[in-house]
Amino acid sequence: MKTRRWVVSMVAAIGLLTAIAAHGQAAKPEGTLTVAVATFGNERWLPHLYVGAEDVVLKPMYENLLTRDPKTGELAPMLAERWKVADGGRTWSFYLRKGVQFHGGRGEMTAEDVKFTFNTIAKDGSANSLAPEFRLIKSMEVENPYTLTVRFDKPFVVFGNKVNQGLFASVAFIQSKRYVETAKDDGAERLPVATGPWKFVEHVRGDRIVYEAVENHWRATPHFKRLVFVKVPEPSTRMAMLRAGSVDVIEVGGEYADELKQVGVRTLLMPNTSWLYIILGGQWATKPTYDPKVPWAQPDAERARKVRMALNLAVDKQAIVQRVLGGLGTVMGSWLMYPSDPWASDALKKPYPYDPAKAKALLAEAGYPSGFETTMNLTAWPGRGFLPDVGEAVATYWEKIGIRVKRRPVDRAIFAADFRARAYSGVALAYASPLVAPEPWEVLYRAGYTKAGLCLFVEQPKLDEFIDRLAGQPNYTERLRIMRDEMGPWLSEYVPGVAIGAAHTIAGLGPRVGDWPVIPGHMGFHNWEYIGRAR
Amino acid sequence: MWRYLIGRVLQTMLSMLVVISIVFFLTRLSGNPIHLLLDVNASERDQQILMHHLGLDKPLPVQYGLYVRNIFLGDFGNSVLTRRPVTEHIWERLPATVELGLVAMLLSVLIGVPLGVYSAVHRGGTLDGAARVFAVLGQSMPTFWLGLMLILLFGVVLRLLPAGGRGGIEHLILPAFTLGYFTSAAILRLTRSAMLEVLGSDYIKFARLKGLHEQVVLWKHGLKNALLPVVTFAVMLFVQFLGGAVVTETVFAWPGLGRLILESITTRDYPIVQAGVLVLSALYLTGNLFVDMLYSYLNPRIRHARA
C-alpha cells in the first residue's frame, strides 16, 4: 500500500515537473512579430522631446507608474505597487516595486528615476503634452529609494491618470536618471533604455524599429522573441503585406473592415477609442479673434445655440458611422463620453435626431432662413485619416439645409498654427479625441477651461464652474454623479459642437497572432507583451 | 574642351544656389515646424525656447545667410525633428534609393533597347505590334496601380515575392519592375524611332552594300548612332528615379530618399528638405554634365565642334 502510494506520488510529481517544464518552454520567447503601422510619430524617445503621437512604438519598451485593468478599466499598479492620495488630492505617494531593472544592466529603478522623469517632462521647452500638468507639481520628496511623494498647491485628484500606461499617449514613461545624465540626450536617444518587457535593438528613422524580448521580465515575458515595427504609410500595402504573410499585425481604418472580412482576415476590435465631433470655431467671446458675426458664436446666446442645434439636426450621424467609418462606431449625443462609461446615462447616450426640416426651421428662428456661408477645414490627423471624409460628409448635409460650405483642405501644421492663435473663427473642423484621460472633464480641462487651457475651442463660465468643482472633488462617486447628472445634461443642452459619437478601431491580424487582451478605450496598439502565439 | 567644362561646372553651381534659395524660402512659407513639435497647449515660453534652439527666431535673411555659409563649410545642419545631422539621415536613405534606381534603370534599358531595336527591324510584324502594346500599356498604367496589382499577384496570390519593405534581392524585384516598366516603355519607343531613322540613312545602306553582316550593321553602326537620345534619356531617368520614385517607394514601403523628403515636407523638417533637394539637384545637374560629356564621346561631330 505504502509502495503504491509512493509510486503514485512519484508519478504525480514527475507529471507536475513535466507540466512546469513544458510551461516554461512554452513561455520562452520565439519568433518575430512584425507590425505595419502608418506612422511612428516624431520618433523621439526622451520625455521632453516626444509629444505623444509616438505612443504606439514607445509603449513596448517603456513603463509607467500605473496602468489600467484590461477588464474593468480601473487604475492598477505597474512600476508603483501601490499609491496613496492624501490632503484632498494635494499629496500623492507612490510606493515603487523593488528589483525592477533598467535594460542592459543599467541598475534598479528607484524613486530618483521617477523624480528625474517628472522634472524632465516639466522643464522649460518640453514638448511633452503633459508638461502643463507636471508643472503644477509644487515639490517632490524621495522618502527612500522606493517611495516618492509628490505635492501640489491645489488638489490634483486625477494625477493617477497622468502617470498611467493604459491611456493613449501615456507620456510619463520612467527613464533612468543615471543613464540619461551619462549618455546625454543624444546618446540616450540613439540607444534608449527603459524597464519594459521589450528592449531596444534598432531604429532606422521612417523605416523600422526593432525590439527584443526581455526574458524573465518582472511583469510579463513576451511570447515573441522579436517585435519589429515597419512604417508602411499606404493602407493597401499594409493590407497586402498582411495577406502575403510579410507582417502579422496591421493598423487599418474602418473603410477596410468589409474587405478584411471578405478575404477572411481576422480582426481585433478595439471599441470606443476616440470621440468624433465637429469643432465649431469662434466660441471665445473674450479673445481678440472673436468674431460676433459667426452665427454659432454670436453674442445672442439663444440664437447661437439654435444655430448649433440646427447644425446637429442636419447631419445623419448614423449614415456617417456606417459609410465613412465602416460601421465601426456608436452614435451618441453626449460630449466626450463613451457608451460604456458609468456616467453615460441612457438620456445622455441618446443622439440628436436627424431632422433636416427642424434644422431648417431652427436656422430660420435664429435669423438665417437662407442659411449662411461657412468654411469646413479638411485636415487629417495621425491615425485618424478618416477625418477629412467626415468633414466632407457633414458639409454635404449642411448644404441640404441651405448652408453654403467652402471646403478647405489644410495641412495639420498650418491648422495647428491657426489653432494656437485661435485664428479659425467661423471655421468648422472634424476631430476625433483619443482617450487621453478617462473622465470627460479632464479632456475639457484642456479644451474648454479658461483658467488652464491655452487653445480652447469653447469658453463658457458654466463649464469653468463644473471643471472647478470636478477638479477639486476627491470622491470618485461624487465626480461621477456631477458628470452624469449635471455636466452631461448641461453640455447636451448647450451643444458646443456637432456630436457624432464614439469611434472604434480595428487591427488586422495574421495567423500567427493568438490572444491579445486590450485595455478598453485605448486608441493605439498596446499590450504587446501579452500577445500570444497562435497554435 | 577644358574651358567648356569649367564653364559648365560654374553654371551647375550657380543653378544649385538658385535651387537651394528657392527651396529655403518656399519651405518657410509652408508653416512652422514648432507647431508639430510641440503640443497645442505648449506655452509661449516653450515655443520661444524651441524657436531659439532651432535658430528660427532669427530674421529670415540672417537664417538664409547662415544656411548658405554653412553649406559652403560642408554643414547641412541638424534635423529639427531628431536633432541629428541631416547628412546622417541622407546617407541612411541614399543606398536604398540608389539601389532601386540602378536596378530599375538597368531593367528599363535591358527591356527597352533590345525590344526597340527588334521592333524597328521587324516593323509592322506581330512582335512589333506586341512591343507597341507593351509600350502603350507601360506608359498608360499609373505606377501606383501597377505596383498594387503586382503586389496582389506576386505577393498575395502566388506568394512568390515579398509584398513590401527592403531586404534581399527578392524585395527589389517588384518595386524595380514597377519603376522600370514605365520607362522601359519610353525607352522602347525612343529606341524604335531612332533606329528607324538611322536604318533609313545612307551610311547604313552603304554598309549593307559593302556586304557587312546584318548584325554588325544593326548593333555596331545602327545602334551606336541611335543610342544618343536613349543615353541622354536613361541618365536623366536615373537621376529622376533617385528623387522622383516617391510613389513607388510609398507603395512598396521602400525606405528611400524620396519618401524621406516627402515625410520631411509634411513634418516641416526644413534642413532635411533643403539638403535632400540639394543632393538631388546636384545629382541632376551632374547627370546633365555627364550626358554632355558622353555626347562628345558618342558623336565625334560634337567633340570636334567643342574642341
Side-chain angles (χ1 to χ4, degrees), chain B residues 109-176:
Chain B
V109 173
L110 286 180
I111 296 171
V113 172
L115 273 180
V117 173
Y118 190 89
S119 200
V121 174
H122 300 276
R123 189 165 50 153
T126 318
L127 271 170
D128 179 35
R132 274 187 292 170
V133 170
F134 174 85
V136 169
L137 278 177
Q139 293 203 293
S140 56
M141 267 193 291
T143 317
F144 185 81
W145 182 84
L146 175 66
L148 285 175
M149 289 305 109
L150 290 174
I151 289 174
L152 279 177
L153 181 64
F154 292 98
V156 178
V157 179
L158 301 174
R159 293 206 170 210
L160 288 174
L161 295 165
R166 187 178 176 223
I169 187 86
E170 69 276 13
H171 284 85
L172 199 54
I173 297 171
L174 292 184

Side-chain angles (χ1 to χ4, degrees), chain A residues 42 44 51 124-125 127 129 135 190 205-207 231 237 240 243-244 411 414 417 420 446 454-455, chain B residues 30 35-41 45-47 49 81-82 88-89 93 151 155 159 251 259 263 268 272:
Chain A
N42 284 357
R44 306 308 302 267
V51 180
D124 272 346
S129 57
R135 284 173 188 158
R190 284 173 194 272
R205 188 182 179 235
D207 180 32
K231 185 172 169 181
T237 310
R243 291 176 63 195
D411 185 83
I414 305 285
R420 279 212 171 90
R446 288 165 157 262
L454 298 167
C455 307
Chain B
S30 68
H35 297 304
L36 297 174
L37 292 170
L38 290 174
D39 184 62
V40 286
N41 267 310
R45 186 170 158 70
D46 290 333
Q47 292 179 47
I49 288 171
L81 206 64
T82 64
E88 202 177 292
H89 291 295
R93 296 296 191 96
I151 289 174
R159 293 206 170 210
V251 170
R259 229 178 88 191
E263 285 164 0
R268 307 299 188 272
I272 290 192

Side-chain angles (χ1 to χ4, degrees), chain A residues 424-471:
Chain A
Y424 64 106
S425 277
V427 173
L429 166 88
Y431 188 69
S433 294
L435 191 69
V436 291
E439 298 182 21
W441 69 270
E442 289 181 79
V443 181
L444 285 166
Y445 187 91
R446 288 165 157 262
Y449 184 52
T450 57
K451 297 172 195 172
L454 298 167
C455 307
L456 315 176
F457 67 84
V458 57
E459 282 182 5
Q460 232 287 336
K462 186 76 182 163
L463 201 52
D464 280 354
E465 195 187 308
F466 278 124
I467 294 171
D468 278 335
R469 280 173 64 200
L470 286 158

Side-chain angles (χ1 to χ4, degrees), chain A residues 159-229:
Chain A
F159 185 62
N161 291 337
K162 311 302 166 198
V163 293
N164 195 308
Q165 186 90 350
L167 295 169
F168 177 71
S170 8
V171 284
F173 297 122
I174 306 304
Q175 307 279 333
S176 162
K177 178 177 189 277
R178 199 176 62 185
Y179 176 65
V180 176
E181 284 178 349
T182 314
K184 308 287 176 214
D185 281 8
D186 189 47
E189 283 258 305
R190 284 173 194 272
L191 179 61
V193 158
T195 61
W198 304 88
K199 60 185 175 195
F200 178 89
V201 175
E202 185 191 16
H203 173 204
V204 181
R205 188 182 179 235
D207 180 32
R208 61 182 53 230
I209 296 172
V210 182
Y211 292 116
E212 194 174 272
V214 174
E215 292 194 33
N216 305 314
H217 185 261
W218 72 268
R219 181 163 54 83
T221 299
H223 296 263
F224 290 89
K225 179 81 180 159
R226 283 209 158 198
L227 175 62
V228 178
F229 287 96

Side-chain angles (χ1 to χ4, degrees), chain B:
Chain B
M1 185 68 182
W2 279 109
R3 238 174 75 186
Y4 168 77
L5 266 179
I6 291 165
R8 282 302 315 269
V9 169
L10 286 175
Q11 208 179 355
T12 303
M13 286 173 74
L14 189 69
S15 306
M16 276 162 64
L17 187 66
V18 172
V19 168
I20 59 169
S21 304
I22 292 171
V23 174
F24 179 89
F25 290 106
L26 275 184
T27 48
R28 269 141 188 92
L29 285 177
S30 68
N32 193 328
I34 65 153
H35 297 304
L36 297 174
L37 292 170
L38 290 174
D39 184 62
V40 286
N41 267 310
S43 66
E44 196 62 40
R45 186 170 158 70
D46 290 333
Q47 292 179 47
Q48 280 169 2
I49 288 171
L50 190 59
M51 292 276 281
H52 178 72
H53 186 86
L54 299 174
L56 298 172
D57 57 341
K58 294 185 179 76
L60 208 55
V62 176
Q63 286 183 44
Y64 176 71
L66 284 172
Y67 173 65
V68 174
R69 189 200 68 180
N70 289 343
I71 284 179
F72 278 106
L73 295 173
D75 177 8
F76 289 85
N78 289 344
S79 154
V80 300
L81 206 64
T82 64
R83 301 187 196 174
R84 287 188 204 165
V86 162
T87 39
E88 202 177 292
H89 291 295
I90 303 272
W91 282 119
E92 206 170 58
R93 296 296 191 96
L94 203 58
T97 293
V98 172
E99 183 182 292
L100 180 62
L102 271 177
V103 177
M105 193 188 75
L106 202 69
L107 269 178
S108 304
V109 173
L110 286 180
I111 296 171
V113 172
L115 273 180
V117 173
Y118 190 89
S119 200
V121 174
H122 300 276
R123 189 165 50 153
T126 318
L127 271 170
D128 179 35
R132 274 187 292 170
V133 170
F134 174 85
V136 169
L137 278 177
Q139 293 203 293
S140 56
M141 267 193 291
T143 317
F144 185 81
W145 182 84
L146 175 66
L148 285 175
M149 289 305 109
L150 290 174
I151 289 174
L152 279 177
L153 181 64
F154 292 98
V156 178
V157 179
L158 301 174
R159 293 206 170 210
L160 288 174
L161 295 165
R166 187 178 176 223
I169 187 86
E170 69 276 13
H171 284 85
L172 199 54
I173 297 171
L174 292 184
F177 182 78
T178 305
L179 195 60
Y181 184 27
F182 176 83
T183 42
S184 67
I187 287 179
L188 186 155
R189 290 171 73 113
L190 205 61
T191 311
R192 184 178 181 274
S193 60
M195 276 299 281
L196 283 174
E197 201 184 315
V198 167
L199 291 178
S201 60
D202 290 342
Y203 76 91
I204 292 289
K205 287 177 192 159
F206 183 69
R208 282 184 178 138
L209 285 173
K210 261 174 68 181
L212 287 178
H213 193 274
E214 184 61 15
Q215 295 302 320
V216 176
V217 173
L218 280 181
W219 297 102
K220 193 179 170 192
H221 298 285
L223 187 62
K224 193 178 172 188
N225 285 297
L227 267 183
L228 267 179
V230 179
V231 168
T232 315
F233 184 70
V235 173
M236 298 325 290
L237 202 70
F238 173 63
V239 178
Q240 272 179 12
F241 280 166
L242 299 183
V246 180
V247 175
T248 309
E249 286 181 357
T250 304
V251 170
F252 289 95
W254 189 264
L257 194 56
R259 229 178 88 191
L260 175 72
I261 295 173
L262 185 75
E263 285 164 0
S264 301
I265 290 169
T266 58
T267 54
R268 307 299 188 272
D269 203 336
Y270 302 153
I272 290 192
V273 178
Q274 287 160 183
V277 173
L278 185 69
V279 167
L280 292 178
S281 58
L283 285 168
Y284 196 84
L285 294 168
T286 314
N288 249 324
L289 201 64
F290 175 71
V291 167
D292 272 6
M293 290 192 288
L294 208 65
Y295 256 54
S296 306
Y297 165 73
L298 290 172
N299 193 333
R301 278 177 299 178
I302 297 172
R303 190 165 58 229
H304 295 314
R306 280 174 187 167

